[in-house]
């Protein structure tokens, strides 16, 4: 089975964190780690952190959280643009190969 990577978006609610979106990155470990390393945010998770971005990997079809960053709404907007651009680039490169 192939390992797959995705970015999971979640926000804090009174009941805890709720997932609200994800970006599928494919099965290229280097590309997934490289993209996540470019995202804006803090690796220090604090109590007042309302927005999380997680790098996830499926292992034996089970989700495993690899890394998490905390970000502001402005950083989330910047990250969304970066993620979309990078996925577009990766998918178009696959088409060329």
């Amino acid at each position: 089975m192939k390992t797959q990577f995705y970015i999971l978006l979640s926000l804090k609610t009174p009941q805890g964190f709720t997932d609200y979106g994800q970006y599928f990155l494919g099965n290229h470990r280097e590309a997934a780690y490289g993209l996540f390393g470019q995202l804006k945010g803090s690796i220090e998770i604090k109590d007042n952190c309302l927005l999380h971005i997680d790098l996830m990997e499926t292992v034996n079809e089970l989700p495993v959280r690899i890394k998490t960053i905390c970000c502001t709404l402005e950083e989330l907007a910047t990250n969304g643009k970066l993620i979309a651009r990078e996925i577009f680039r990766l998918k178009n490169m696959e088409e060329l190969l």
Side-chain angles (χ1 to χ4, degrees):
M1 279 185 203
K2 287 186 179 180
T3 299
Q4 296 182 340
F5 296 91
Y6 60 97
I7 289 177
L8 183 65
L9 306 174
S10 59
L11 57 91
K12 191 171 188 177
T13 67
Q15 295 77 28
F17 279 91
T18 300
D19 301 337
Y20 68 91
Q22 65 182 10
Y23 295 95
F24 178 69
L25 301 176
N27 58 2
H28 301 286
R29 180 180 306 276
E30 297 81 19
Y33 276 70
L35 170 57
F36 196 81
Q38 295 178 57
L39 299 181
K40 306 288 183 207
S42 172
I43 58 171
E44 257 184 69
I45 305 301
K46 301 175 185 173
D47 289 339
N48 63 345
C49 177
L50 302 178
L51 300 168
H52 281 187
I53 301 177
D54 301 309
L55 176 61
M56 305 292 291
E57 176 180 1
T58 56
V59 177
N60 295 327
E61 297 185 22
L62 296 173
V64 176
R65 182 174 289 119
I66 305 300
K67 295 180 182 183
T68 299
I69 60 171
C70 174
C71 63
T72 65
L73 190 56
E74 291 79 21
E75 290 170 331
L76 180 64
T78 300
N79 291 339
K81 183 178 176 181
L82 177 66
I83 292 167
R85 185 179 68 220
E86 187 65 13
I87 290 173
F88 180 82
R89 187 185 71 77
L90 289 170
K91 295 301 178 187
N92 282 298
M93 282 182 56
E94 286 176 6
E95 299 272 329
L96 295 174
L97 297 176

